[in-house]
Amino acid sequence: MEDFKDIVTKNNGTVSVQHLKGYRQIGQGGDGTIYQLTSERCVKIFYEEETQQRELEALQVGQLSSVIPRLYEYGSNYIVMEYVNGTSLKKIAKKERQLSESIVRKILFMLEEMKRVGFARHDTEVRHILFNEQGEIKVIDHKRALTSARTVPTKLVAGLKKMGVLKEFLEHVNKLCPSLYEEWKHI
Ligand SMILES: Nc1ncnc2c1ncn2[C@@H]1O[C@H](COP(=O)(O)OP(=O)(O)O)[C@@H](O)[C@H]1O
Ligand SMILES: [Mg+2]
């Protein structure tokens, strides 16, 4: 398997998915394809360079917080970042049909951190919240983080509702932070 560094050097800083055939594809979305490079790193190859710019800026701002994947390197159409080896909140909710207080605490911490680093969007989808092997929370896919202003977690709440765990989520929130509960109970 060709070394990622060599692939980048040979192609003057742009990487296409053809070059990464030997690597394991770990995800694909509307904006790119993600390949695992090592046990700690993955690369997201973007369809549009403009999207790469938006996500890169958000990741750079987000480096202040442990809930954002580490940023390692980038080129015009790709970003090498921390590979989060773990499970998404979506999968956990689907499998367990419930949410522990500890998970809800971590979600509130994550939203607090998104605010603290300066994201305009304090929201994310249930599939973009990951828990690694140490149980640490990480949030991925940040192209809208700086550009769409949202101070209430509409997408998150909609996702939890769909998974059938919204009521339990809000009960934990009410215990942990009643003022947030008052803000969110009618989203
Ligand atoms: N840093 C990461 N660690 C582990 N898996 C990831 C990482 N980034 C992306 N993925 C996987 O790839 C999928 C698509 O990534 P995402 O960033 O959401 O792409 P898009 O912007 O195209 O929606 C995610 O849902 C996740 O399963
Ligand atoms: Mg996505």
Side-chain angles (χ1 to χ4, degrees):
M1 197 160 61
E2 199 176 355
D3 193 61
F4 184 72
K5 243 192 192 86
D6 297 338
I7 297 175
V8 171
T9 314
K10 234 171 41 193
N11 297 285
N12 304 314
T14 317
V15 175
S16 88
V17 291
Q18 273 76 27
H19 302 130
L20 293 164
K21 284 240 158 72
Y23 291 90
R24 186 169 80 95
Q25 187 183 313
I26 55 170
Q28 187 161 33
D31 297 302
T33 311
I34 295 87
Y35 295 86
Q36 187 176 355
L37 295 178
T38 68
S39 58
E40 273 130 38
R41 293 177 182 222
C42 63
V43 61
K44 181 167 176 179
I45 313 284
F46 291 80
Y47 310 132
E48 307 278 346
E49 294 190 1
E50 192 232 326
T51 327
Q52 185 272 7
Q53 265 303 311
R54 291 168 63 196
E55 180 143 6
L56 178 61
E57 280 167 28
L59 281 171
Q60 284 168 331
V61 166
Q63 294 305 289
L64 273 177
S65 171
S66 66
V67 306
I68 309 294
R70 294 307 85 200
L71 168 67
Y72 295 118
E73 52 179 290
Y74 54 88
S76 57
N77 74 328
Y78 71 89
I79 297 176
V80 178
M81 69 181 96
E82 174 184 353
Y83 166 60
V84 185
N85 190 10
T87 319
S88 71
L89 177 63
K90 185 174 179 180
K91 281 195 188 136
I92 293 173
K94 204 173 199 164
K95 186 162 163 255
E96 310 200 351
R97 299 252 148 242
Q98 55 178 26
L99 284 183
S100 65
E101 183 186 298
S102 138
I103 281 190
V104 177
R105 262 185 210 282
K106 289 174 190 176
I107 296 170
L108 295 185
F109 171 66
M110 176 202 77
L111 292 169
E112 215 24 69
E113 286 287 273
M114 291 166 95
K115 205 190 298 186
R116 183 175 71 88
V117 300
F119 284 5
R121 183 179 190 249
H122 314 148
D123 189 16
T124 189
E125 318 252 354
V126 281
R127 68 172 185 281
H128 291 145
I129 300 175
L130 307 177
F131 295 89
N132 70 13
E133 285 172 315
Q134 287 76 44
E136 294 161 338
I137 192 166
K138 306 275 172 178
V139 54
I140 57 164
D141 198 351
H142 296 296
K143 61 186 164 281
R144 293 191 188 86
L146 299 173
T147 46
S148 40
R150 188 178 297 149
T151 52
V152 285
T154 329
K155 289 275 181 199
L156 175 64
V157 162
L160 293 170
K161 188 170 187 182
K162 203 169 156 197
M163 308 308 296
V165 293
L166 179 60
K167 193 165 169 276
E168 194 184 5
F169 173 78
L170 288 175
E171 280 165 13
H172 285 304
V173 172
N174 196 14
K175 250 187 294 163
L176 295 167
C177 189
S179 59
L180 279 183
Y181 173 79
E182 290 305 319
E183 256 184 76
W184 295 353
K185 65 182 179 186
H186 295 308
I187 293 179

